[in-house]
């Protein structure tokens, strides 16, 4: 038995007693045993959130909600290393990277702590001095949240912080492989006095523990971050009860490099874009689109640098990147590269599993692939691993057309020394975030999300909070009168 579900303010085990053992992907060692919920546990959590919301448990003033979030941010900073250690053990990611994630998570809570209550609604002119007409924002109600394993607590924070700032109750179902930091977060919310039932945590497989969050009539909104195929299922299931849906899905993100770019910076950032966290990043720069005149030199340099990347476990201080999340995921990446080679692509480096000491974990070597063409699976589908392809272009129009030739639209970058061209290309790229002469930075105060099949809605920034609100128009006639529309005479 493992009391790691947090339902109605209490730590409980799964009703049917199910458990799951979590292993570190860096070496297979056991990290912990957590409860494995069934849909009945999730339904109990939804009922608790519904009761808490309907009873007004979190109906405190917006400044009080803001103050609570600021205290969460402070507590997360105090417990940073404990959280970072748990994140690294679940994901295999470097401890220093997890520490950076924890700073970002605290900043997210801090941002929404400050934003809470800033939107006080607006009075609109009804054209009649006797009428007070105002538009106000209210919490959506009960929010279902489903998150992936790559940035486990960061993705949770992007949902929990704005949802609490706006006054909602929620049920969170984090990825089944990486539950520990979500458990720790619930501990912080509980410790700081969040009323029972406002925050609920269920753990377990998506199709079982997660499914009620998109189908249940008592859930008012489902916010999902994860893969495209799951996102489609969740949107379809949510349609039955016409609940609000926010989807943060995958990406196939182009990194466009013109010949006049700062060469060294462009190579270095292309390396970061593709291989940070072994490419298990929704915004990974997995498609390099480089001007023909520098393509060979650029690729040679990228290959040289990629071969030098040192892989290792979370606490190996010489390691620059870690393992993939699981044996299954590594096999998917392996099959994906193999299929690309069968279609005619050429592996310039990598394309293999780690050897020697790395054999105890799920390591895959940083992989650079050229001789690809638009339409090949390597260029179309998300690898979600350390795999980058090289495409080339001759003109600016070709660069834009290539970079937009994807059904995803999450993020992209343009590298050039020409400021006019940078702005032109940035405005023509159909992706939710565009970096100019950079790759990967994001800000809690700037919206994040995808165009096309990378999703609907936005996280972070003011729109990220608006997702968790309903808009209501209140029309107050202070001088009620008979309308005379229908005759009162027989
Ligand atoms: P996934 O879709 O397999 O799983 C994500 C979550 O959904 C998990 O918690 C899983 O248990 C749950 N789930 C699965 N089936 C479900 C169902 N039928 N009902 C309810 N929940 C269900 O994705 P993953 O492999 O964990 O994550 C990788 C994907 O996430 C990649 O495609 C990546 O691009 C994407 N991602 C996107 C962003 C973004 O901001 N756009 C951020 C991180 C990751």
């Amino acid at each position: 038995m493992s009391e790691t579900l947090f339902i109605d303010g209490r730590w409980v085990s799964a009703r049917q007693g199910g458990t799951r053992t979590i292993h570190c992907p860096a070496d297979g060692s056991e990290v912990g045993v957590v409860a494995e919920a069934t849909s009945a546990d999730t339904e109990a959590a939804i009922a608790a959130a519904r009761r808490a919301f309907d009873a007004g448990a979190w109906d405190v003033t917006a400044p009080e909600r803001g103050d609570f979030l600021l205290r969460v941010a402070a507590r997360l900073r105090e417990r940073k290393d404990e959280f970072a250690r748990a994140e690294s053990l679940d994901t295999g990611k470097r401890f220093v990277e997890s520490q950076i994630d924890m700073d970002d998570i605290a900043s997210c809570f801090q941002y929404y702590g400050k934003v809470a209550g800033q939107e006080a609604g607006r009075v609109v002119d009804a054209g009649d001095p006797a009428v007070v007409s105002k538009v106000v924002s209210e919490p959506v109600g009960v929010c279902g949240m489903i998150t992936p394993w790559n940035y486990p607590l960061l993705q949770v924070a992007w949902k929990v912080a704005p949802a609490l700032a706006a006054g909602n109750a929620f049920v969170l179902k984090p990825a089944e492989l990486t539950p520990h930091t979500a458990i720790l977060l619930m501990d912080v919310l509980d410790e700081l006095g969040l009323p029972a039932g406002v925050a609920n945590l269920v753990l377990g497989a998506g199709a079982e523990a997660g499914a009620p969050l998109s189908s249940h009539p008592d859930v008012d909104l489902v916010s999902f971050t994860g893969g495209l195929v799951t996102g489609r299922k969740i949107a379809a299931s949510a349609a039955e009860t016409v609940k609000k849906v926010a989807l943060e899905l995958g990406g196939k993100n182009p990194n466009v490099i013109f010949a006049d770019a700062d060469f060294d910076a462009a190579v270095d950032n292309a390396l970061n874009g593709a291989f940070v966290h072994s490419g298990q990043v929704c915004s990974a720069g997995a498609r390099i689109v480089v001007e023909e005149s520098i393509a060979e030199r650029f690729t040679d340099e990228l290959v040289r640098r990629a071969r030098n990347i040192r892989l290792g476990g979370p606490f190996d201080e010489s390691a620059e990147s870690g393992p993939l999340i699981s044996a299954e995921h590594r096999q998917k990446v392996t099959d994906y590269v193999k299929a690309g080679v069968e279609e005619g692509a050429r592996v310039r480096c990598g394309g293999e599993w780690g050897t020697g000491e790395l054999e105890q974990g799920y390591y895959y070597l940083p992989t650079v692939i050229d001789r690809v063409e638009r339409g090949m699976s390597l260029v179309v589908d998300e690898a979600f691993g350390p795999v980058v392809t090289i495409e080339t272009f001759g003109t600016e129009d070709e660069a834009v057309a290539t970079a937009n030739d994807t059904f995803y639209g999450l993020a992209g970058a343009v590298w050039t020394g020409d400021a006019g061209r940078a702005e032109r290309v940035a405005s023509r790229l159909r992706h939710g975030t565009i970096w100019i002469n950079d790759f990967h930075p994001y800000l809690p105060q700037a919206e994040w999300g995808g165009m096309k099949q990378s999703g609907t809605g936005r996280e972070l920034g003011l729109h990220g909070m608006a997702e968790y609100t309903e808009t209501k128009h209140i029309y107050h006639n202070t001088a009620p009168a008979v309308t005379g529309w229908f005759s009162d005479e027989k």
Side-chain angles (χ1 to χ4, degrees), residues 318-332:
S318 71
E320 297 171 306
S321 197
L324 297 181
I325 189 70
S326 65
E328 295 74 31
H329 185 54
R330 180 171 64 171
Q331 192 56 49
K332 260 169 75 179

Side-chain angles (χ1 to χ4, degrees), residues 182-417:
I183 296 171
L184 290 173
L185 177 66
M186 291 297 135
D187 184 47
V188 167
L189 299 180
D190 188 33
E191 175 195 0
L192 295 179
L194 192 69
V198 175
N200 301 275
L201 173 72
V202 292
L203 307 173
E208 178 67 36
L213 297 179
S214 59
S215 62
H216 200 290
D218 275 344
V219 177
D220 301 296
L221 168 151
V222 59
S223 176
F224 169 77
T225 303
L228 175 57
V229 174
T230 317
R232 285 185 186 132
K233 281 189 204 157
I234 283 171
S237 153
E240 277 298 311
T241 51
V242 197
K243 54 174 76 3
K244 287 184 85 179
V245 178
L247 301 172
E248 292 290 337
L249 308 176
K252 191 71 187 177
N253 313 289
N255 185 4
V256 179
I257 295 143
F258 285 91
D260 63 359
D262 178 327
F263 186 84
D264 292 339
V267 172
D268 188 67
N269 280 270
L271 204 73
N272 274 8
F275 299 127
V276 156
H277 194 20
S278 285
Q280 301 170 115
V281 183
C282 52
S283 54
R287 276 181 87 191
I288 287 173
V289 181
V290 58
E291 193 162 349
E292 273 155 17
S293 58
I294 60 162
E296 198 179 326
R297 184 169 151 240
F298 190 93
T299 308
D300 288 348
E301 187 59 6
L302 192 73
V303 167
R304 186 186 71 75
R305 297 276 314 267
R307 283 199 176 111
N308 282 341
I309 292 176
R310 288 189 301 276
L311 301 181
F315 305 104
D316 171 353
E317 285 181 7
S318 71
E320 297 171 306
S321 197
L324 297 181
I325 189 70
S326 65
E328 295 74 31
H329 185 54
R330 180 171 64 171
Q331 192 56 49
K332 260 169 75 179
V333 174
T334 306
D335 294 344
Y336 169 90
V337 170
K338 203 166 149 238
V341 170
E342 279 160 14
E343 282 182 80
R346 175 173 67 169
V347 173
R348 291 287 304 270
C349 67
E352 292 171 358
W353 294 5
T355 51
E357 278 190 3
L358 298 180
E359 278 167 31
Q360 47 183 336
Y362 311 124
Y363 292 91
Y364 194 90
L365 301 187
T367 301
V368 179
I369 297 182
D370 64 4
R371 294 193 186 156
V372 294
E373 281 166 26
R374 278 158 72 176
M376 283 169 68
S377 60
L378 280 174
V379 172
V380 171
D381 298 322
E382 190 183 37
F384 222 56
V387 180
V388 66
T389 57
I390 312 274
E391 293 161 272
T392 61
F393 64 87
T395 65
E396 188 176 308
D397 282 349
E398 266 175 52
V400 170
T402 306
N404 281 339
D405 185 19
T406 163
F407 54 80
Y408 286 114
L410 188 60
V414 51
W415 286 81
T416 173

Side-chain angles (χ1 to χ4, degrees), residues 60-81:
V60 297
T61 66
E64 284 172 299
R65 292 198 299 267
D67 180 58
F68 179 81
L69 293 178
L70 294 178
R71 287 192 290 130
V72 173
R75 196 74 183 110
L76 290 175
R77 290 195 172 105
E78 282 163 18
R79 294 178 65 176
K80 170 175 159 176
D81 283 356

Side-chain angles (χ1 to χ4, degrees), residues 130-177:
V131 172
V132 180
S133 185
K134 58 185 180 179
V135 177
V136 295
S137 290
E138 296 184 350
V140 173
V142 173
C143 304
M145 302 169 175
I146 304 170
T147 52
W149 44 258
N150 59 335
Y151 286 87
L153 196 61
L154 192 71
Q155 303 300 337
V156 165
W158 289 13
K159 300 185 192 306
V160 166
L164 287 180
N168 296 279
F170 70 84
V171 178
L172 165 67
K173 210 281 311 159
E176 52 272 43
L177 298 177

Side-chain angles (χ1 to χ4, degrees), residues 22-26 29-32 34 76 79-99 101-102 105 149-154 175 177-185 277 314-315 325:
I22 306 298
H23 296 276
C24 179
S29 60
E30 186 177 319
V31 176
V34 298
L76 290 175
R79 294 178 65 176
K80 170 175 159 176
D81 283 356
E82 176 196 359
F83 273 68
R85 191 178 153 74
E87 196 84 306
S88 281
L89 289 172
D90 276 2
T91 59
K93 114 173 27 173
R94 293 191 308 155
F95 183 58
V96 287
E97 280 183 47
S98 295
Q99 287 176 311
D101 291 351
M102 295 311 137
I105 289 158
W149 44 258
N150 59 335
Y151 286 87
L153 196 61
L154 192 71
L177 298 177
T178 54
H180 282 103
T181 45
I183 296 171
L184 290 173
L185 177 66
H277 194 20
F315 305 104
I325 189 70

